[in-house]
Amino acid sequence: MKRILIPAIIAAVPAVAAAQSPVQADALSQTELRGTARFMGMGGAFTALGGDLSTLGQNPAGIGVYSRSDVGITLDINMRGYKSETSGYSFKENQTKAFVNNLAYVGAINLDGALRNFNWGVSYGRKTSFDRITKGYNYPTQNSLTNYIAAFSSGYSPSDLGFGEKYNPYLDSDCDWLSILGYTSYMINPSGTNQYAGLYVPGQTTGDAAYVVRESGYVDEYNIDFGGNISDVVYWGIGVGINDLSYFRYANYSESMENARVISGNSIVKGNAGFNLTNDNHIWGSGCNVKLGLIVRPINELRIGLAVHTPTWYSLNHSYKAYTDYSYYDPNKPEIEKENPYEGGEETDWASFSSKLNTPWRLMLGVAGVIDNRAIISLDYERQFYNSMTTKRQSYNGYYYNSFESADDVNDAIDQYYKGSDIIRVGLEYRVTPQFSLRLGYNAQTSNVTKDAEDGMYEIMTTGTDPSYSFDKTTQYITAGLGYRYKMWYIDAAYVYKNRKSTFHAYTDFNGFEAPSASVTDNNHSIVLSTGFRF
């Protein structure tokens, strides 16, 4: 299959528009297993069950199962371990954080007639945590980021890339910002008419690469749900979710090379080269979604559930900036070592703009069996349609940005990179005594990345001046929990183990050479505690 050259597409639109990307849309659309301790202890398999405060954010029909009011709070103590492996090197780092995972209230109104209950509820929940650390070191490298920048900078005029008198190429040209930054930092140099060469010479240059990416932030969701109970057979619900998003990404990439193609005076010579590229990116905004749900209980021992989540329709603000520091040395001119004119740093302007993002549609099916009113076995299937994500960018009328238009280049790339992802959830609960219960759960999610994207058949469109990206493979949760009830009061605890495997790429492989990459494994351990009252 022919490789699609996405950077050429980016070059055809205003530079700031390249700040949107499919990999960014994917990162902001991720979901996690979050909720009460009972919900998490059973792997989140509650589509057909209900009767738990977490169902306000999963299947709103679960609110109809309530016959009494409920109020509760959940604390999550999360211990995260990050491991990156590449080129015989291994890096580990740990984080521990605590936060409120869920805070909710359900009000039950008992009625006469076929409509047995009309219930309502409000909840706050941490939907996603973006915390992740990726580190890596590759030696020797097969290529250089500078050669990658040179490849997609072909066609730009040096006068459009460089600073002239009272001229700012970041704001006054339509060139890609990474091309401008690479040119002004001597990472790429002219090699012909509107052609450029990077620092790396295959077969001659030797070097290494190091990188660290720190992500943080969250998606918090506030739900307002209404539901009811029809003849103790059909339970229905509708909910509105309001999401608050904040995402930070710090990415640093560095290379050190010998026998590289460096600038010296007005010439290009073989020498030593080193540079750092640092990107700071912040995204924040809000959005809303609608959830519809249904639970049918044809007999007391069987329940069947269905839920549909619309996309979350986000309005987002973006702000990013990039920095470089560099040093190039010609060993044939030792005097340059004392006062090297090709040693310093550059930075971009701040890029600030707004965008729209629609996250994937979600479809959930569940079935649960109740055995002798003492045991519950529950099974869920969920499909998340990642290829349904869409983005919009601000429309420029020649004077200012006054509206939004479809980002067709980004949306086309979403179709190429992403597909639907499947989630299987299994939950077990056994009531040892009327007061004490034991729980087990398992949750597994498949990769949402297409085989062509995973196999490197596309040039990956990334965000702004940060060429790095990650593709998630599989995510698994293994959970266990217990619960205790005493009259109106309840307390639950759960242990949750999460394993996520992914690949990190410093930039896209090109011209038959592999970019620095790493295999990344996240192993997270959580202790979850919930308490509340039913009255």
Side-chain angles (χ1 to χ4, degrees), residues 391-407:
T391 64
K392 290 184 178 181
R393 64 167 60 98
Q394 287 178 295
S395 175
Y396 185 62
N397 68 358
Y399 298 96
Y400 55 88
Y401 293 98
N402 62 342
S403 62
F404 290 88
E405 62 183 7
S406 176

Side-chain angles (χ1 to χ4, degrees), residues 34-42 44-46 49-66 70 74 102 104-106 123 225 295 303 429 439 485 490 492 530 534:
R34 299 271 180 183
T36 66
R38 184 182 181 221
F39 179 87
M40 297 180 73
M42 295 179 65
F46 268 77
L49 289 177
D52 185 272
L53 294 174
S54 295
T55 61
L56 276 72
Q58 187 190 56
N59 184 353
I63 197 174
V65 175
Y66 278 97
D70 188 3
T74 298
N102 185 269
Y105 170 80
V106 169
S123 71
D225 286 28
I295 295 175
R303 297 181 185 183
E429 181 178 69
R439 302 171 186 126
R485 302 288 185 269
Y490 62 86
D492 298 301
S530 297
R534 290 193 175 184

Side-chain angles (χ1 to χ4, degrees), residues 25-224:
D26 173 57
L28 300 181
S29 299
Q30 293 299 310
T31 60
E32 293 184 308
L33 176 60
R34 299 271 180 183
T36 66
R38 184 182 181 221
F39 179 87
M40 297 180 73
M42 295 179 65
F46 268 77
T47 301
L49 289 177
D52 185 272
L53 294 174
S54 295
T55 61
L56 276 72
Q58 187 190 56
N59 184 353
I63 197 174
V65 175
Y66 278 97
S67 59
R68 294 187 294 168
S69 298
D70 188 3
V71 61
I73 187 171
T74 298
L75 177 67
D76 189 327
I77 303 171
N78 193 252
M79 296 152 282
R80 295 172 174 263
Y82 311 97
K83 182 179 180 181
S84 306
E85 295 180 293
T86 178
S87 302
Y89 297 92
S90 179
F91 296 86
K92 294 182 180 180
E93 192 155 341
N94 299 306
Q95 275 184 334
T96 299
K97 293 188 176 182
F99 45 83
V100 174
N101 210 31
N102 185 269
L103 176 64
Y105 170 80
V106 169
I109 304 173
N110 296 316
L111 303 172
D112 295 327
L115 184 62
R116 304 291 174 83
N117 297 91
F118 179 78
N119 302 337
W120 65 279
V122 292
S123 71
Y124 156 81
R126 176 61 50 95
K127 188 175 182 179
T128 305
S129 173
F130 294 123
D131 294 343
R132 179 188 256 185
I133 300 171
T134 303
K135 289 185 177 182
Y137 176 76
N138 288 76
Y139 175 81
T141 54
Q142 295 189 27
N143 212 325
S144 169
L145 172 63
T146 63
N147 292 48
Y148 175 68
I149 298 172
F152 67 74
S153 300
S154 176
Y156 291 141
S157 166
S159 61
D160 289 332
L161 293 177
F163 284 84
E165 185 177 355
K166 297 181 180 180
Y167 176 69
N168 184 344
Y170 295 111
L171 301 181
D172 299 329
S173 79
D174 288 337
C175 297
D176 187 277
W177 281 28
L178 188 53
S179 298
I180 298 169
L181 187 61
Y183 180 81
T184 56
S185 301
Y186 304 104
M187 295 161 64
I188 62 173
N189 295 289
S191 63
T193 303
N194 297 340
Q195 300 293 318
Y196 303 89
L199 303 174
Y200 191 94
V201 181
Q204 300 180 35
T205 304
T206 59
D208 57 20
Y211 39 89
V212 57
V213 177
R214 297 182 182 273
E215 298 170 273
S216 61
Y218 57 85
V219 175
D220 286 345
E221 185 167 67
Y222 304 83
N223 289 289
I224 304 172

Side-chain angles (χ1 to χ4, degrees), residues 341-418:
Y342 301 106
E343 185 173 72
E346 294 290 339
E347 61 183 57
T348 70
D349 281 52
W350 278 104
S352 298
F353 63 100
S354 300
S355 73
K356 305 285 189 180
L357 169 66
N358 295 344
T359 66
W361 282 85
R362 300 172 64 186
L363 173 65
M364 304 176 196
L365 300 172
V367 60
V370 179
I371 304 172
D372 195 29
N373 287 324
R374 296 192 65 179
I376 297 175
I377 302 175
S378 184
L379 175 65
D380 280 10
Y381 167 77
E382 179 177 346
R383 179 76 169 179
Q384 296 188 0
F385 299 88
Y386 280 91
N387 52 338
S388 70
M389 297 183 296
T390 58
T391 64
K392 290 184 178 181
R393 64 167 60 98
Q394 287 178 295
S395 175
Y396 185 62
N397 68 358
Y399 298 96
Y400 55 88
Y401 293 98
N402 62 342
S403 62
F404 290 88
E405 62 183 7
S406 176
D408 292 336
D409 53 332
V410 180
N411 297 330
D412 289 345
I414 286 173
D415 287 335
Q416 294 170 343
Y417 303 172
Y418 295 107

Side-chain angles (χ1 to χ4, degrees), residues 436-459:
F436 183 67
S437 300
L438 298 176
R439 302 171 186 126
L440 291 174
Y442 177 73
N443 183 311
Q445 181 171 0
T446 64
S447 172
N448 65 344
V449 181
T450 64
K451 188 176 186 303
D452 285 342
E454 187 177 353
D455 291 344
M457 302 305 295
Y458 302 115
E459 198 83 19

